[in-house]
Amino acid sequence: MTRLFAATVALVGATGFAAMADITRPECIAPANPGGGFDLTCRVVQIGLADQMPEPVQVTFMPGGIGAVAINLFNTTRTDDSNAIVAFSSGSLLNIATGKFGEWTENDVRWLASAGTDYGAVVVREDSPFETLDDVMAAAKEDLSGIVFGAGGSVGSQDWMKAAILLKSEGLDPKAMRYVAFDGGGASIAALLGGSIDVYTGDVAEQAAHIGAGTMRVLAVMAPERLDAPYDQFPTARELGYDAVWSIVRGFYMGKDVSDEDYDAWVAAFNAAYETEGFAQNQADKGLLPYNLAGPEFAAEMKAGVEDMRTIAREAGLLE
């Protein structure tokens, strides 16, 4: 999956954005409830493109099917909406690969630009009896049905896959775990704090706003190596002895009938923003690592990423 997550920077100057296209009401669609990864992704562009847009980017929430409602809308009634971009993640690519978005495929949107990259995280409440990842895994080996996992997606989704990979690393059957699906990370975190689930397999960037709050603990990050501050305090699953890595790309797409002029204007705006220190700081503030790519090259990587996800899904027994 190196194609999908390679940190590539495209630098193209942008001038006269407002004059280049008829974009007057820029909007970012977060296809879930507030508080999760899609919300975070839209906040990156809301802040990061502030100097590139003719008006502030408005964030609109559109929950339903972890992106299914949004991709359906942008393939029916808003196919040529030049003002709107839609947040997506690697989980969206997985949903396409496994057919969870119905008839819509990787060829039914215009892949636009990246917001950054993220990694999976294993999270519990601050007062959880599971003090370490070893505690979770030991309990899972003793009685997998005694632990309730939960996250923002159904069985076979990206967040389910994080838990599945972790369990498979110890020879456990992911299909035997008790898993509760929620519509996005915000709802999942609320369920964790409310005691409805024991373990949340979410994203490390979502934890940026909660570090030091005394409500949750990150037991492990599913990165290949330990991350920089403020996440350097969290061990990786791999260094704890579990071969479980899950990388997450965050980005945006547009309707497939958006004109080349409008698409190119958005691409130019992203490329100009990528060059600024403010965008890099914005990524860091949101807990994301740099992955800056926009336009046709980004689109090619996302389409290749869907193929990568099909391979992963087959290995997990989700596809024939």
Side-chain angles (χ1 to χ4, degrees), residues 158-181:
Q158 169 179 244
D159 287 348
W160 180 88
M161 288 290 290
K162 295 171 195 170
I165 288 173
L166 186 62
L167 294 174
K168 284 188 69 176
S169 73
E170 290 296 291
L172 299 172
D173 181 7
K175 295 180 181 178
M177 74 170 150
R178 293 173 61 193
Y179 177 86
V180 181

Side-chain angles (χ1 to χ4, degrees), residues 218-222 226 231-240:
V218 177
L219 300 184
V221 175
M222 300 177 74
R226 195 171 286 222
Y231 306 114
D232 55 344
Q233 61 188 290
F234 308 132
T236 68
R238 179 170 284 177
E239 74 182 77
L240 295 175

Side-chain angles (χ1 to χ4, degrees), residues 191-245:
L192 179 70
L193 296 178
S196 298
I197 60 176
D198 301 313
V199 179
Y200 169 46
T201 47
D203 306 332
V204 69
E206 293 173 338
Q207 300 304 308
H210 301 283
I211 293 176
T215 56
M216 294 183 290
R217 285 186 286 116
V218 177
L219 300 184
V221 175
M222 300 177 74
E225 57 188 29
R226 195 171 286 222
L227 302 178
D228 293 334
Y231 306 114
D232 55 344
Q233 61 188 290
F234 308 132
T236 68
R238 179 170 284 177
E239 74 182 77
L240 295 175
Y242 307 99
D243 189 16
V245 174

Side-chain angles (χ1 to χ4, degrees), residues 25-29 57-60 78 81 83-86 266:
R25 302 181 310 281
E27 176 186 15
C28 184
I29 307 295
V57 177
Q58 300 299 310
V59 177
T60 302
R78 298 180 69 175
D81 190 339
N83 286 292
I85 64 176
V86 184
W266 277 99

